[in-house]
Amino acid sequence: MKNSVACPNCNSENSFYNSVCSSCKYYLRDRIYNLDLWTIISSLIESPTKAFRTIIFSEHKNFIFFILFFVSIKYLINARFIAMLSVGEFQSSIGLQLSYLIVFGTTLFYFFIFPLLYKLSSKRNEVNIRFKDTLALIIYSQIPFLFGLIILFPLELVIFGDYLFSMNPTPFIIKGTIAYLFLVIEIGLVIWSIFLVFKGFRTQSQNLFFSLISASVFVVLFWTLIYFCSLIVFTI
């Protein structure tokens, strides 16, 4: 396997995520039982590789559903902006709660299906991975959208109010400079998330080309789903 490690005691090959040698039971590294959310968030900013190694090595993948629950709110907000750009003015007949459930359900389904397909693909590329590691990696890579929800979105609401989701006039007409600044930050969050997806796959597989292809497929498919969610949620 391309992402294996050799036991320093018996020199046998072990999976990257093993804490104990499968042959001689020699300890390959310290055991990590749980994840600390704030420590992981700070590590994702300072050293993403270190953060993802900790996530992979941890026996319990804490907070993944907590993160997914809240970032799905941000996905819903982004889906509304996408719908504004793709169809213009619209009047949705679906309530806010149902809209969120559609986006959350679609995201949850995709985040469970992709690790399964990724695992099948990894075997063909001689990369040994676990489903739960991949699931945790892609969810923690969405942390930038958590910042967008908690910090950026409230500021946008305060500044633009009801006009935040308006096409006539748009926020770019009301306060152009600030609107473009927010747009740049929003794009920056997306790019940061894409980078984290790639770093997560790179840390896990230790294969540059395979990680680059996997991250590209994940991102393209995910935002395609968000686009179709925007059509379903905000145009019906």
Side-chain angles (χ1 to χ4, degrees), residues 11-29:
N11 206 37
S12 61
E13 188 179 81
N14 286 269
S15 298
F16 168 68
Y17 48 77
N18 279 7
S19 61
V20 178
C21 177
S22 56
S23 297
C24 67
K25 307 306 177 185
Y26 184 84
Y27 278 91
L28 303 174
R29 57 173 175 80

Side-chain angles (χ1 to χ4, degrees), residues 115-167:
L116 293 174
L117 299 178
Y118 179 64
K119 185 175 178 63
L120 293 175
S121 176
S122 67
K123 289 182 179 180
R124 297 181 181 180
N125 289 272
E126 299 181 351
V127 175
N128 190 17
I129 63 172
R130 297 182 297 187
F131 168 85
K132 64 178 183 178
D133 294 338
T134 306
L135 177 64
L137 290 177
I138 60 178
I139 291 179
Y140 269 94
S141 68
Q142 308 304 300
I143 286 291
F145 295 110
L146 201 58
F147 288 121
L149 175 66
I150 296 174
I151 300 173
L152 192 61
F153 182 60
L155 290 175
E156 292 171 339
L157 282 178
V158 169
I159 294 173
F160 298 110
D162 294 338
Y163 293 105
L164 179 61
F165 299 108
S166 173
M167 292 296 291

Side-chain angles (χ1 to χ4, degrees), residues 85-111:
L85 295 174
S86 59
V87 300
E89 291 288 351
F90 54 83
Q91 185 66 42
S92 175
S93 60
I94 299 179
L96 183 61
Q97 293 84 353
L98 181 57
S99 298
Y100 172 77
L101 289 176
I102 292 173
V103 173
F104 177 75
T106 301
T107 303
L108 185 64
F109 174 78
Y110 178 64
F111 279 21

Side-chain angles (χ1 to χ4, degrees), residues 165-197:
F165 299 108
S166 173
M167 292 296 291
N168 185 26
T170 67
F172 298 100
I173 294 177
I174 298 172
K175 294 183 179 180
T177 302
I178 298 177
Y180 280 108
L181 176 61
F182 281 137
L183 177 62
V184 170
I185 297 174
E186 292 278 7
I187 294 174
L189 293 177
V190 174
I191 294 174
W192 183 18
S193 176
I194 294 172
F195 170 75
L196 290 180
V197 171

Side-chain angles (χ1 to χ4, degrees), residues 21-74:
C21 177
S22 56
S23 297
C24 67
K25 307 306 177 185
Y26 184 84
Y27 278 91
L28 303 174
R29 57 173 175 80
D30 293 335
R31 294 182 67 182
I32 301 175
Y33 294 96
N34 295 297
L35 295 172
D36 181 85
L37 180 61
W38 304 115
T39 301
I40 293 296
I41 290 176
S42 63
S43 294
L44 286 172
I45 298 172
E46 298 173 3
S47 178
T49 299
K50 178 182 177 181
F52 287 123
R53 286 176 66 91
T54 303
I55 293 169
I56 293 170
F57 292 158
S58 178
E59 296 178 13
H60 301 100
K61 315 299 182 183
N62 313 63
F63 304 108
I64 57 174
F65 289 105
F66 170 84
I67 295 170
L68 190 59
F69 178 85
F70 284 101
V71 297
S72 292
I73 300 175
K74 181 58 177 169

